[in-house]
Amino acid sequence: MNHARPVLRSVLYGRAEPELSDAAEEFHEASKLYPQLSHRVGRGVAMLSGSPELQAATRRPGRVNPQLPSVPLPAPLRPEVSLWEAIAERRSGRPSSPQALRAAALSTLLLAGYGETGSGRRAVPSGGALYPLELYVVAHSVGGLAAGLYHVDPGRRALELLHERDVAGDIAELTPMTELTEHASAVVLVTAVFWRTRFKYGLRGYRFALLEAGHAMQNMVLAAAALRVEACPLGGYFDCRAERFLGVDGVDESVVYGLVLGGETC
């Protein structure tokens, strides 16, 4: 993997050669699929076929908290913008001024990103249709929505209220790049529940979860472009702080992506 030119190696690694023990490279190599090791996938298939519990979990992946108060997501907006226009207009832009985000606009982004589209399928490709992601909304200034932390239930098209409180301080502590979040109306945090893919695909399942997060994020930022909503993907966040705030353990479920949202620009 490390094939940078010698002059770049010293800049990247601080020496002529990279360390032999490189965690990223070791994982990449360990998660490669070879014909000789394809039987590993077969183990997961056999495990699924022999476990009613896993079968039930895969038929309806996703966390549901019916005991929590919930808010129905408004019907998504249908902007008259072509796909090519949305692609051309998409920009990563931090929120420039304090503006409230319409609940319908937030709903549109969430359902475009990971909503159900019929027969239990979602808006994105998923390895084995196992759907390992969970979406959370940190709502600061969303019209008609109390400030707080919400979990997205795509099946019911609802936001489950986890904590109702002023989250401005929580948002400010998520990232060292506070200029990205100082005018945020909301932040969407994407987590991956790794066992949902790893039981079947092993280490390769970790790759699949990250790929899926990218699919969901691209759908959301294209929807944001179509609605003229300020949106900036967030990869530089304090993992432990974000996971503590969400109440996830960082092992079985961990934050893998974020999206900072402002208001509509027109």
Side-chain angles (χ1 to χ4, degrees):
M1 184 185 295
N2 297 311
H3 298 302
R5 295 177 180 176
V7 66
L8 292 179
R9 287 178 183 171
S10 61
V11 175
L12 291 172
Y13 303 106
R15 48 182 288 173
E17 295 292 335
E19 295 286 347
L20 291 178
S21 179
D22 181 85
E25 184 168 350
E26 287 175 353
F27 170 76
H28 190 76
E29 291 297 324
S31 63
K32 285 183 176 179
L33 183 63
Y34 299 95
Q36 299 88 337
L37 301 177
S38 58
H39 65 280
R40 290 180 177 177
V41 177
R43 293 176 188 167
V45 175
M47 188 184 302
L48 178 59
S49 63
S51 170
E53 293 81 8
L54 278 177
Q55 292 169 21
T58 56
R59 279 195 299 270
R60 191 67 179 177
R63 187 171 296 113
V64 180
N65 302 295
Q67 77 282 5
L68 295 176
S70 62
V71 180
L73 285 169
L77 304 171
R78 307 257 179 200
E80 293 184 2
V81 175
S82 74
L83 173 62
W84 292 112
E85 288 175 305
I87 291 173
E89 292 295 322
R90 190 217 59 79
R91 297 290 185 277
S92 296
R94 68 189 186 198
S96 55
S97 61
Q99 296 183 74
L101 178 65
R102 283 185 295 165
L106 174 63
S107 175
T108 304
L109 269 62
L110 296 174
L111 295 176
Y114 216 52
E116 289 197 356
T117 57
S119 302
R121 300 293 180 172
R122 301 286 181 88
V124 297
S126 180
L130 296 173
Y131 303 112
L133 305 183
E134 298 286 343
L135 272 59
Y136 298 82
V137 176
V138 191
H140 173 56
S141 181
V142 179
L145 195 64
L149 172 63
Y150 296 82
H151 170 257
V152 181
D153 181 347
R156 290 190 296 157
R157 289 196 170 188
L159 296 176
E160 300 168 342
L161 179 61
L162 300 177
H163 303 291
E164 181 176 345
R165 69 174 192 237
D166 183 356
V167 292
D170 301 296
I171 290 174
E173 292 181 352
L174 285 176
T175 174
M177 297 168 287
T178 54
E179 69 277 5
L180 295 181
T181 60
E182 61 181 335
H183 296 311
S185 299
V187 176
V188 179
L189 293 174
V190 181
T191 68
V193 182
F194 297 111
W195 69 263
R196 289 185 196 160
T197 55
R198 286 200 58 183
F199 86 86
K200 184 173 182 180
Y201 298 113
L203 289 178
R204 193 91 173 177
Y206 184 87
R207 286 202 206 185
F208 289 165
L210 299 184
L211 290 170
E212 192 163 325
H215 297 320
M217 184 62 63
Q218 182 69 355
N219 279 9
M220 286 191 284
V221 296
L222 288 178
L227 295 176
R228 306 284 186 181
V229 171
E230 296 173 313
C232 185
L234 180 65
Y237 47 83
F238 295 118
D239 298 74
C240 289
R241 286 185 182 178
E243 288 158 356
R244 189 183 314 119
F245 175 56
L246 296 183
V248 302
D249 63 11
V251 179
D252 292 322
E253 181 178 0
S254 184
V255 179
V256 294
Y257 219 160
L259 179 63
V260 180
L261 298 173
E264 289 103 320
T265 57
C266 66

